[in-house]
Amino acid sequence: MIKSKKILIPLCIVFALAEIQLSYIIQTAPAPNNWDFISVALACAFCFLFVEKSTSYVFTQLALLFTVGADYFLTYGNNFDQLSGMIFFSFVQVFYFLRLFFEDENKQRRKVHLFGRIAASICVLIATQIVLGDNVDA
């Protein structure tokens, strides 16, 4: 982890400016382009500057790594692989959930959060089956 403010502050400024520029390019460049993938990969790489031994960091970095994987399959790769992208993205959601779950010290709120996620996931699966019927796939 970089702890020197002389290095960290300029790197944060450069990162923010790069992401602002990438955001503009993503919105204005004709499709298809790879700028969105580059933006996500840059954010993932930038997170390594803050490496630490904590569950919050590990879950955040794993979520960012899986976001890069999902983005690769959904936007960057030569073969658009929606199923692999969605599987990777599902892991992203699990890692962010785990980060929030383990950061919350209130046991009641953790229980509500856990059961709320489970109930929402079941509802989404049922709704997908109802809407798509026989056309539902993995």
Side-chain angles (χ1 to χ4, degrees), residues 20-35:
I20 290 167
Q21 182 64 36
L22 285 168
S23 174
Y24 176 77
I25 293 169
I26 290 166
Q27 298 301 317
T28 59
N33 64 63
N34 297 322
W35 294 107

Side-chain angles (χ1 to χ4, degrees), residues 59-112:
F59 288 137
T60 301
Q61 191 60 52
L62 284 170
L64 286 169
L65 285 168
F66 274 80
T67 301
V68 170
D71 226 34
Y72 174 80
F73 288 113
L74 294 172
T75 64
Y76 185 75
N78 292 335
N79 298 331
F80 181 73
D81 186 355
Q82 189 173 10
L83 180 58
S84 296
M86 295 309 293
I87 290 169
F88 269 75
F89 190 68
S90 295
F91 279 102
V92 171
Q93 296 306 308
V94 169
F95 289 130
Y96 281 131
F97 161 70
L98 290 172
R99 177 187 172 168
L100 293 171
F101 185 78
F102 287 112
E103 282 183 352
D104 195 348
E105 295 176 3
N106 184 311
K107 288 184 180 187
Q108 181 66 26
R109 200 169 39 227
R110 283 174 71 167
K111 198 180 294 185
V112 169

Side-chain angles (χ1 to χ4, degrees), residues 1-3 8 11-12 44-51 57:
M1 175 177 167
I2 297 175
K3 294 185 180 187
L8 196 56
L11 284 175
C12 288
C44 181
F46 185 73
C47 187
F48 278 114
L49 296 178
F50 302 96
V51 68
Y57 174 80

